[in-house]
Amino acid sequence: MTAVAASDATGMSPETANLFDQYVVPNYRRFPVTLTRGEGSYVWDDQGKRYLDFFPGWGCNLLGHCPPKVVEAVQKQAAELIHVPNTWHIEAQGRWAKLLSDHSFGGKAFFCNSGAEANEAAIKLARLHTPAGKYKIITFEGGFHGRTFGAVSATAQPKYHEDIGPMAAGFVYAPFGDLERAAAKIDDETAAILVEPIQGEGGIRLPPEGFLQGLRDLADEHDLLLMFDEVQAGCGRTGEWFAYQNFGVTPDVMTLAKSLCGGVAGGAMLTTAEIAPSLRPGMHAATFGGNPLAAVAGIATLETIEQDGLLERAKTLGAQFEEKLSPLVEALPHVSELRVCGLMIGIELAVDATPVVQACMDRQLLINVTQGNVVRLLPAMTLTDELLNEGCEILADALQGFEV
């Protein structure tokens, strides 16, 4: 099977290409495009070409590119106070923590800069909170928890461990969705269970009915912490403030990042008031975590979602994506399954989906492929009906462009 469309992407100047070739570590596979400006669901390259972005900022730009209230808050804050360490109090950080607490399970927040850092904090908290000798954490195949060493060790995907082993000790892997095999992994040294309520990088995989509640029951029965990694699914993307609220199962610990600050770097770990003191002074820190810029961006993001009714909008858009894309499963033999929860959308193919990314880029639509065969869309909550329809038509055209 091959894609019909050939690449004609030329959105990059030779000067920028030379700078990267000579001076930037080549650890990313980059497209030959230099992006220079973004607004809503559009971005532009340095050749003036405009792209419709259905994967803005790898899911970080939940409100689209350069959301006005976030931009205004950051600009104002940057002129007043950019950074002070966490040895001082910042009013905005406290107010941000209260908003997160009010919208979730009423706990306390530790702020950091990324999802990996949030998961590192959760891993440390699990070991600090449970009795000495309990250090193991059960995680799930297909999950993704970040690329720092503890987080990548927690990530049960062999491709991320290749050539960097041995991995950090204490992580035990179970199949996602298999409650019985997860239970069999528990022993006297187990401290916690860490799971994504909806696997993102793993292919937008939703949990089977009763799986998360089963993990909650296991955690309670064995006195373990239940920790949800909502780095990708949280902050309104699924149509609820947090993904766990779709399933009626509350964790003891939750990690957040990506869209937490509307595109500005920021991460957080939330836990209950009873567990929070276990992360005692000196045991963990993040120099830039919860800094004034991130805090005001985080507040502006949460307030925008609430004031503009975007949780309901995410549900509506998700339903529209499902309506538009479902016929492809019936019509195209190489489209296997559509998985949608709000604005987490995965289209699983029976073949390598990588050429679909290029075919869409040639049509000026930006998407992503994960796990090799899953087209992943994480569009903005502010997407209009018109752009949704336009993007779905482009995607359908690209998928239909395969020759079986």
Side-chain angles (χ1 to χ4, degrees), residues 44-293:
W44 285 261
D45 67 23
D46 67 357
Q47 309 299 300
K49 186 184 286 186
R50 188 180 71 177
Y51 302 83
L52 176 56
D53 196 351
F54 273 11
F55 201 67
W58 284 69
C60 298
N61 298 336
L62 183 59
L63 303 179
H65 292 277
C66 302
K69 292 177 184 175
V70 174
V71 170
E72 181 182 4
V74 170
Q75 287 178 329
K76 181 174 182 296
Q77 184 62 51
E80 295 174 352
L81 185 68
I82 292 177
H83 175 70
V84 292
N86 279 305
T87 46
W88 308 97
H89 290 84
I90 306 167
E91 186 273 341
Q93 186 183 121
R95 192 153 48 90
W96 187 21
K98 181 179 185 305
L99 281 172
L100 291 170
S101 180
D102 290 347
H103 289 312
S104 62
F105 45 79
K108 295 187 175 184
F110 163 81
F111 290 108
C112 49
N113 307 294
S114 68
E117 288 186 29
N119 284 322
E120 294 285 348
I123 291 165
K124 278 190 180 179
L125 177 63
R127 293 189 176 188
L128 288 167
H129 183 72
T130 51
K134 291 170 75 77
Y135 68 100
K136 293 179 181 174
I137 297 175
I138 297 172
T139 67
F140 294 89
E141 294 169 5
F144 183 80
H145 302 293
R147 296 175 192 269
T148 54
F149 215 75
V152 80
S153 297
T155 296
Q157 296 196 54
K159 65 183 179 183
Y160 294 118
H161 301 171
E162 189 176 347
D163 296 333
I164 61 170
M167 308 310 296
F171 296 98
V172 179
Y173 309 136
F176 184 70
D178 190 331
L179 197 57
E180 186 175 338
R181 292 180 67 181
K185 300 287 185 182
I186 298 172
D187 62 23
D188 292 341
E189 296 176 327
T190 306
I193 299 169
L194 172 62
V195 64
E196 292 170 275
I198 301 172
Q199 288 191 340
E201 195 272 350
I204 315 295
R205 296 177 65 200
L206 278 67
E209 181 75 26
F211 178 61
L212 297 179
Q213 183 59 55
L215 295 180
R216 177 73 272 174
D217 295 342
L218 285 174
D220 293 341
E221 180 183 350
H222 295 276
D223 200 20
L224 315 176
L225 293 187
L226 180 62
M227 308 194 295
F228 283 174
D229 178 339
E230 295 217 14
V231 168
Q232 188 167 129
C235 305
R237 178 164 292 286
T238 66
E240 300 288 347
W241 280 110
F242 302 102
Y244 78 83
Q245 293 162 339
N246 290 284
F247 306 102
V249 179
T250 303
D252 302 304
V253 179
M254 177 169 64
T255 56
L256 303 168
K258 287 197 180 294
S259 56
L260 182 62
C261 301
V264 174
M269 181 202 67
L270 271 60
T271 189
T272 66
E274 292 75 26
I275 297 170
S278 292
L279 202 65
R280 58 188 187 273
M283 294 307 297
H284 198 58
T287 299
F288 285 98
N291 69 64
L293 295 181

Side-chain angles (χ1 to χ4, degrees), residues 275-343:
I275 297 170
S278 292
L279 202 65
R280 58 188 187 273
M283 294 307 297
H284 198 58
T287 299
F288 285 98
N291 69 64
L293 295 181
V296 299
I299 292 169
T301 299
L302 293 169
E303 289 180 345
T304 298
I305 291 171
E306 187 157 41
Q307 292 166 6
D308 294 356
L310 294 180
L311 291 180
E312 195 58 35
R313 179 64 178 162
K315 294 177 185 174
T316 301
L317 288 168
Q320 291 177 338
F321 270 107
E322 191 159 17
E323 180 183 358
K324 292 285 181 184
L325 299 175
S326 289
L328 297 174
V329 180
E330 297 295 326
L332 301 176
H334 51 283
V335 178
S336 307
E337 185 178 2
L338 173 67
R339 298 188 283 270
V340 179
C341 186
L343 291 172

